Amino acid sequence: MTTRRPSLLEPSRLEPVHLDLRKVFLGGIALWTVALVVSLVLVATGQVGVRIPWICAAGVALGGLALLWERRNRART
């Protein structure tokens, strides 16, 4: 007896998993915020340059935009 492997071209038979994206985005924002605080301390002590806190701040900002997107699209589902 041979078992047939699923093809990438066939649609999945699995039901989609529904996630609360707010929790996912808030978790990401929290991690970026911690990284921002740590990087600011490292900048203050002269360990790293000023570029790293800007990257962390961008992560926080993008997380905020993701929250706005989730809030706008929550009613559509």
Side-chain angles (χ1 to χ4, degrees):
M1 181 165 119
T2 61
T3 57
R4 201 179 107 179
R5 297 177 74 174
S7 170
L8 292 176
L9 301 176
E10 294 177 8
S12 175
R13 295 184 198 137
L14 300 174
E15 291 293 321
V17 177
H18 295 283
L19 297 175
D20 185 5
L21 289 178
R22 286 177 291 181
K23 292 179 182 178
V24 174
F25 294 148
L26 286 172
I29 291 171
L31 291 174
W32 278 114
T33 303
V34 169
L36 178 61
V37 170
V38 169
S39 67
L40 287 173
V41 169
L42 291 174
V43 166
T45 60
Q47 300 287 328
V48 296
V50 294
R51 185 175 182 190
I52 294 175
W54 283 109
I55 294 170
C56 297
V60 172
L62 288 173
L65 289 174
L67 273 177
L68 291 173
W69 173 85
E70 188 276 333
R71 184 177 184 185
R72 184 174 183 217
N73 291 312
R74 186 181 329 146
R76 293 182 186 180
T77 58

